[in-house]
Amino acid sequence: MRELPEPVGDPDTRSATRFMLWLARGQARGLLAATVFGVTTMVATALVPAAIGRAIDSGLDARDPGALMAWTGVVLALGAVQTTTAMLRHRAVARNYLAGAFATVTLTVRKIVQLGNTLPKRLASGEVLSIGVSDADRIGDAMVITGRGVGALAGLVVAGSLLISTIPEAGWVAVAAVPFAAFGIGRLLRPLHSRQQDQRTEQAGLATRASDIIAGLRALRGIGGEDVFLDRYRAQSQATMRAGIRVAMVDALLVGYKALLPGLLVALVVWVGARRAISGAITPGELVAAYGYTAYLLSPFGTLTAMAGKWAKAHVAAERLVRLLNIEPEITDVAGAGQVQLRGRSPQQVVDVESGLTLAPGTFTAVTATDPGDAIAIAHRIGRLSDDGRVLYGEQKLTDLPLDVLRKTIIVATPEDRLFSGTLREQLDPHAGRRQTAGRSRDAAITDAIDVAAAANIVDDLPAGLDSYLHAAGQELSGGQLQRLLLARALITEVPVLVLVEPTTAVDAHTEAEIASRLGPARAGKTTMVVTSSPIVLARADRVVMVCAGRVAAEGTHTELLSTHPEYARTVARDGQ
């Protein structure tokens, strides 16, 4: 099977219906192939009862072996066509499913990457997970059922026309039953759609609660909160189950409706046909054919009913996806930003105008504040994780830099950063795996960064060292171990400007001293800013900046500020206790 194509162009997110139409246009060839094969399959199947009826009348009833063999050959030919096209249809619809689900996952991942730290402010993690898994499956199902549904409609028309020509009374009753059936399905789809939305909301909430429990399991065990959160999860699970039962009730009605109406038609046709055959109005072969047409109607009617249900589910899924796709990132390139380029990789002076902080190129600067939030806000502005103030990089505004250039120039590492599942080497080295030799050629950089972060013992204790697999985003590691590996990952980037927010809060004093003594030399020639109130780290910085009420209040070495700035001394002493 050929590789699945990437979604082309921007999706139409004005509504869920427009998005589904956009997705269908992107798969036009696959949908057309599935439709052609589907129509051929269903029409060939609908013609089989007619051929059997002719074989009975022209062959068996007329005692004509030649006619019997000829019509038997027609039945076999129709069977061969039906089998071949059904196989091709299945191949086409399988590709359509994969393409629809793949496009959904691709668009979701692209949007997640584009939104960055905007995403957790707007959507819960469980909601995003559900979009990428269950919603992708439902949208793929809609692509599958479309070709089959058109084929079912064609088969319904052909079989209905043949039934009318054979037994007009029963045929017209069957035709009249179609709009009645459509009305009944429509009446059931309204509550189904509403209940599916409720179920989808409960599922997203349950996934979010599960991910929160997994992420905070260590903390829950520390405070003895497992039972409380287990009860909450159980209550959410029961609510999700009840929502699923409400959906299943309507689904059951649809299934029963799908079986009841065609079953009544079969009973009607057999009764009317038998009376007409007894009276001589129709032949035995026509009676058998009429029964075959009516029994065949069960299949296309069931497919059309299933199509209505699957499209209802896909519409709910598309609404969720459209909501995600319509979220705009808080940080974007400004007009004209793409025209600005940096010269080389040497760091330039960074000035946070809002606070008055200046980072000289190639220095190790520690920033502490009476309110830690002020220092973190400065870090976010320098890394352009927020646009709350004006920051200069060299002689130009930070907002004039294209985001792709900025993210390669300034990196902000925070305690909220995460490791992903995968080998430790892949998690530490952002270039690992891009080329076959990339991981080996960068081993020295990885080893140096691990040493600076005092994480060599962590790697040594893992069964396969750097090639050990980390499960569940490093949940098997302690808080201190995870913090040191995250620090190593930040150091490996070797960016001109690195901003570290509280990088040593989870390690012991001895390890913190090792990190503080190695950080400056390791970043020689590059600009490093550390947000901290740890005396151990502050004492190793080239320059310490004290921030009060959001503004720089004093700067100097750690020793100088201890003796000249009482507020600094109180802040540091409070942290050291």
mmCIF file of all heavy atoms in Angstrom, residues 237-264:
data_model
loop_
_atom_site.group_PDB
_atom_site.id
_atom_site.type_symbol
_atom_site.label_atom_id
_atom_site.label_comp_id
_atom_site.label_asym_id
_atom_site.label_seq_id
_atom_site.Cartn_x
_atom_site.Cartn_y
_atom_site.Cartn_z
ATOM 1 N N SER A 237 -15.873 7.645 36.340
ATOM 2 C CA SER A 237 -16.029 6.459 35.507
ATOM 3 C C SER A 237 -17.486 6.021 35.445
ATOM 4 O O SER A 237 -17.993 5.641 34.378
ATOM 5 C CB SER A 237 -15.156 5.325 36.054
ATOM 6 O OG SER A 237 -15.332 4.147 35.299
ATOM 7 N N GLN A 238 -18.169 6.087 36.592
ATOM 8 C CA GLN A 238 -19.591 5.721 36.609
ATOM 9 C C GLN A 238 -20.415 6.687 35.766
ATOM 10 O O GLN A 238 -21.343 6.277 35.051
ATOM 11 C CB GLN A 238 -20.099 5.715 38.057
ATOM 12 C CG GLN A 238 -19.519 4.600 38.915
ATOM 13 C CD GLN A 238 -19.950 3.227 38.435
ATOM 14 O OE1 GLN A 238 -21.109 3.013 38.094
ATOM 15 N NE2 GLN A 238 -19.010 2.291 38.398
ATOM 16 N N ALA A 239 -20.071 7.980 35.836
ATOM 17 C CA ALA A 239 -20.784 8.972 35.022
ATOM 18 C C ALA A 239 -20.568 8.708 33.535
ATOM 19 O O ALA A 239 -21.497 8.823 32.716
ATOM 20 C CB ALA A 239 -20.327 10.385 35.388
ATOM 21 N N THR A 240 -19.335 8.339 33.177
ATOM 22 C CA THR A 240 -19.036 8.013 31.778
ATOM 23 C C THR A 240 -19.806 6.767 31.344
ATOM 24 O O THR A 240 -20.320 6.700 30.224
ATOM 25 C CB THR A 240 -17.529 7.788 31.597
ATOM 26 O OG1 THR A 240 -16.819 8.944 32.057
ATOM 27 C CG2 THR A 240 -17.185 7.530 30.147
ATOM 28 N N MET A 241 -19.897 5.777 32.234
ATOM 29 C CA MET A 241 -20.635 4.559 31.916
ATOM 30 C C MET A 241 -22.117 4.864 31.693
ATOM 31 O O MET A 241 -22.728 4.363 30.747
ATOM 32 C CB MET A 241 -20.471 3.535 33.038
ATOM 33 C CG MET A 241 -21.192 2.213 32.782
ATOM 34 S SD MET A 241 -21.228 1.135 34.235
ATOM 35 C CE MET A 241 -22.336 2.057 35.306
ATOM 36 N N ARG A 242 -22.686 5.712 32.561
ATOM 37 C CA ARG A 242 -24.107 6.055 32.396
ATOM 38 C C ARG A 242 -24.343 6.795 31.082
ATOM 39 O O ARG A 242 -25.356 6.565 30.403
ATOM 40 C CB ARG A 242 -24.570 6.895 33.586
ATOM 41 C CG ARG A 242 -24.690 6.095 34.892
ATOM 42 C CD ARG A 242 -25.409 6.900 35.962
ATOM 43 N NE ARG A 242 -24.617 8.056 36.393
ATOM 44 C CZ ARG A 242 -23.736 8.019 37.383
ATOM 45 N NH1 ARG A 242 -23.512 6.884 38.043
ATOM 46 N NH2 ARG A 242 -23.064 9.106 37.722
ATOM 47 N N ALA A 243 -23.410 7.675 30.710
ATOM 48 C CA ALA A 243 -23.536 8.375 29.428
ATOM 49 C C ALA A 243 -23.456 7.380 28.277
ATOM 50 O O ALA A 243 -24.190 7.504 27.287
ATOM 51 C CB ALA A 243 -22.442 9.436 29.296
ATOM 52 N N GLY A 244 -22.576 6.376 28.399
ATOM 53 C CA GLY A 244 -22.479 5.350 27.369
ATOM 54 C C GLY A 244 -23.743 4.510 27.263
ATOM 55 O O GLY A 244 -24.158 4.137 26.161
ATOM 56 N N ILE A 245 -24.362 4.229 28.389
ATOM 57 C CA ILE A 245 -25.614 3.464 28.376
ATOM 58 C C ILE A 245 -26.719 4.247 27.687
ATOM 59 O O ILE A 245 -27.522 3.686 26.921
ATOM 60 C CB ILE A 245 -26.018 3.085 29.822
ATOM 61 C CG1 ILE A 245 -25.026 2.060 30.390
ATOM 62 C CG2 ILE A 245 -27.441 2.537 29.860
ATOM 63 C CD1 ILE A 245 -25.248 1.736 31.852
ATOM 64 N N ARG A 246 -26.760 5.562 27.946
ATOM 65 C CA ARG A 246 -27.782 6.393 27.283
ATOM 66 C C ARG A 246 -27.585 6.385 25.760
ATOM 67 O O ARG A 246 -28.556 6.359 25.004
ATOM 68 C CB ARG A 246 -27.722 7.816 27.828
ATOM 69 C CG ARG A 246 -28.253 7.941 29.261
ATOM 70 C CD ARG A 246 -28.479 9.388 29.639
ATOM 71 N NE ARG A 246 -27.224 10.119 29.748
ATOM 72 C CZ ARG A 246 -26.504 10.220 30.850
ATOM 73 N NH1 ARG A 246 -26.911 9.599 31.954
ATOM 74 N NH2 ARG A 246 -25.384 10.905 30.875
ATOM 75 N N VAL A 247 -26.329 6.394 25.325
ATOM 76 C CA VAL A 247 -26.055 6.296 23.889
ATOM 77 C C VAL A 247 -26.457 4.924 23.371
ATOM 78 O O VAL A 247 -27.065 4.801 22.300
ATOM 79 C CB VAL A 247 -24.558 6.565 23.600
ATOM 80 C CG1 VAL A 247 -24.219 6.241 22.144
ATOM 81 C CG2 VAL A 247 -24.193 8.004 23.913
ATOM 82 N N ALA A 248 -26.145 3.880 24.128
ATOM 83 C CA ALA A 248 -26.457 2.517 23.697
ATOM 84 C C ALA A 248 -27.960 2.288 23.566
ATOM 85 O O ALA A 248 -28.399 1.508 22.707
ATOM 86 C CB ALA A 248 -25.859 1.516 24.683
ATOM 87 N N MET A 249 -28.750 2.984 24.395
ATOM 88 C CA MET A 249 -30.206 2.836 24.299
ATOM 89 C C MET A 249 -30.709 3.299 22.940
ATOM 90 O O MET A 249 -31.540 2.631 22.303
ATOM 91 C CB MET A 249 -30.879 3.625 25.427
ATOM 92 C CG MET A 249 -30.650 3.029 26.815
ATOM 93 S SD MET A 249 -31.238 4.118 28.138
ATOM 94 C CE MET A 249 -33.008 4.136 27.781
ATOM 95 N N VAL A 250 -30.206 4.431 22.471
ATOM 96 C CA VAL A 250 -30.624 4.929 21.157
ATOM 97 C C VAL A 250 -30.037 4.045 20.062
ATOM 98 O O VAL A 250 -30.697 3.760 19.057
ATOM 99 C CB VAL A 250 -30.190 6.395 20.978
ATOM 100 C CG1 VAL A 250 -30.681 6.928 19.632
ATOM 101 C CG2 VAL A 250 -30.733 7.264 22.101
ATOM 102 N N ASP A 251 -28.775 3.617 20.248
ATOM 103 C CA ASP A 251 -28.164 2.715 19.269
ATOM 104 C C ASP A 251 -28.976 1.424 19.132
ATOM 105 O O ASP A 251 -29.151 0.894 18.026
ATOM 106 C CB ASP A 251 -26.731 2.373 19.704
ATOM 107 C CG ASP A 251 -25.708 3.290 19.070
ATOM 108 O OD1 ASP A 251 -26.005 3.860 18.015
ATOM 109 O OD2 ASP A 251 -24.616 3.449 19.655
ATOM 110 N N ALA A 252 -29.462 0.907 20.254
ATOM 111 C CA ALA A 252 -30.263 -0.313 20.223
ATOM 112 C C ALA A 252 -31.550 -0.101 19.440
ATOM 113 O O ALA A 252 -31.994 -0.977 18.691
ATOM 114 C CB ALA A 252 -30.567 -0.778 21.645
ATOM 115 N N LEU A 253 -32.172 1.067 19.622
ATOM 116 C CA LEU A 253 -33.381 1.372 18.854
ATOM 117 C C LEU A 253 -33.081 1.411 17.360
ATOM 118 O O LEU A 253 -33.870 0.940 16.536
ATOM 119 C CB LEU A 253 -33.970 2.708 19.322
ATOM 120 C CG LEU A 253 -34.618 2.708 20.706
ATOM 121 C CD1 LEU A 253 -35.055 4.121 21.082
ATOM 122 C CD2 LEU A 253 -35.813 1.769 20.742
ATOM 123 N N LEU A 254 -31.911 1.996 16.992
ATOM 124 C CA LEU A 254 -31.528 2.035 15.578
ATOM 125 C C LEU A 254 -31.343 0.631 15.021
ATOM 126 O O LEU A 254 -31.790 0.319 13.912
ATOM 127 C CB LEU A 254 -30.233 2.835 15.411
ATOM 128 C CG LEU A 254 -30.360 4.342 15.218
ATOM 129 C CD1 LEU A 254 -28.985 4.992 15.212
ATOM 130 C CD2 LEU A 254 -31.100 4.668 13.929
ATOM 131 N N VAL A 255 -30.684 -0.229 15.789
ATOM 132 C CA VAL A 255 -30.458 -1.611 15.333
ATOM 133 C C VAL A 255 -31.791 -2.347 15.183
ATOM 134 O O VAL A 255 -32.028 -3.043 14.191
ATOM 135 C CB VAL A 255 -29.533 -2.354 16.315
ATOM 136 C CG1 VAL A 255 -29.454 -3.834 15.955
ATOM 137 C CG2 VAL A 255 -28.139 -1.739 16.303
ATOM 138 N N GLY A 256 -32.670 -2.186 16.164
ATOM 139 C CA GLY A 256 -33.974 -2.828 16.078
ATOM 140 C C GLY A 256 -34.794 -2.295 14.917
ATOM 141 O O GLY A 256 -35.467 -3.057 14.208
ATOM 142 N N TYR A 257 -34.721 -0.974 14.707
ATOM 143 C CA TYR A 257 -35.442 -0.343 13.601
ATOM 144 C C TYR A 257 -34.923 -0.878 12.272
ATOM 145 O O TYR A 257 -35.691 -1.130 11.335
ATOM 146 C CB TYR A 257 -35.235 1.160 13.706
ATOM 147 C CG TYR A 257 -36.123 1.983 12.820
ATOM 148 C CD1 TYR A 257 -37.461 2.199 13.150
ATOM 149 C CD2 TYR A 257 -35.633 2.570 11.667
ATOM 150 C CE1 TYR A 257 -38.276 2.983 12.339
ATOM 151 C CE2 TYR A 257 -36.437 3.349 10.860
ATOM 152 C CZ TYR A 257 -37.757 3.555 11.194
ATOM 153 O OH TYR A 257 -38.569 4.315 10.411
ATOM 154 N N LYS A 258 -33.595 -1.072 12.207
ATOM 155 C CA LYS A 258 -32.978 -1.571 10.983
ATOM 156 C C LYS A 258 -33.463 -2.986 10.657
ATOM 157 O O LYS A 258 -33.598 -3.347 9.480
ATOM 158 C CB LYS A 258 -31.455 -1.557 11.171
ATOM 159 C CG LYS A 258 -30.679 -2.114 9.996
ATOM 160 C CD LYS A 258 -29.184 -2.037 10.248
ATOM 161 C CE LYS A 258 -28.757 -2.992 11.331
ATOM 162 N NZ LYS A 258 -27.287 -2.993 11.519
ATOM 163 N N ALA A 259 -33.729 -3.788 11.670
ATOM 164 C CA ALA A 259 -34.179 -5.159 11.431
ATOM 165 C C ALA A 259 -35.691 -5.249 11.252
ATOM 166 O O ALA A 259 -36.188 -6.076 10.481
ATOM 167 C CB ALA A 259 -33.738 -6.049 12.594
ATOM 168 N N LEU A 260 -36.441 -4.386 11.957
ATOM 169 C CA LEU A 260 -37.896 -4.494 11.959
ATOM 170 C C LEU A 260 -38.505 -4.158 10.613
ATOM 171 O O LEU A 260 -39.310 -4.934 10.067
ATOM 172 C CB LEU A 260 -38.475 -3.573 13.041
ATOM 173 C CG LEU A 260 -40.008 -3.498 13.098
ATOM 174 C CD1 LEU A 260 -40.592 -4.868 13.437
ATOM 175 C CD2 LEU A 260 -40.458 -2.444 14.100
ATOM 176 N N LEU A 261 -38.146 -2.995 10.054
ATOM 177 C CA LEU A 261 -38.812 -2.551 8.825
ATOM 178 C C LEU A 261 -38.566 -3.502 7.656
ATOM 179 O O LEU A 261 -39.532 -3.932 6.991
ATOM 180 C CB LEU A 261 -38.364 -1.130 8.484
ATOM 181 C CG LEU A 261 -39.136 -0.446 7.352
ATOM 182 C CD1 LEU A 261 -40.624 -0.389 7.679
ATOM 183 C CD2 LEU A 261 -38.597 0.943 7.090
ATOM 184 N N PRO A 262 -37.307 -3.876 7.364
ATOM 185 C CA PRO A 262 -37.120 -4.845 6.282
ATOM 186 C C PRO A 262 -37.795 -6.183 6.567
ATOM 187 O O PRO A 262 -38.282 -6.851 5.650
ATOM 188 C CB PRO A 262 -35.591 -5.007 6.206
ATOM 189 C CG PRO A 262 -35.047 -3.753 6.799
ATOM 190 C CD PRO A 262 -36.010 -3.387 7.871
ATOM 191 N N GLY A 263 -37.814 -6.597 7.843
ATOM 192 C CA GLY A 263 -38.483 -7.855 8.179
ATOM 193 C C GLY A 263 -39.967 -7.806 7.853
ATOM 194 O O GLY A 263 -40.538 -8.786 7.350
ATOM 195 N N LEU A 264 -40.623 -6.691 8.146
ATOM 196 C CA LEU A 264 -42.036 -6.529 7.800
ATOM 197 C C LEU A 264 -42.242 -6.569 6.294
ATOM 198 O O LEU A 264 -43.225 -7.136 5.795
ATOM 199 C CB LEU A 264 -42.566 -5.216 8.379
ATOM 200 C CG LEU A 264 -42.654 -5.137 9.912
ATOM 201 C CD1 LEU A 264 -43.084 -3.741 10.347
ATOM 202 C CD2 LEU A 264 -43.632 -6.185 10.441
#
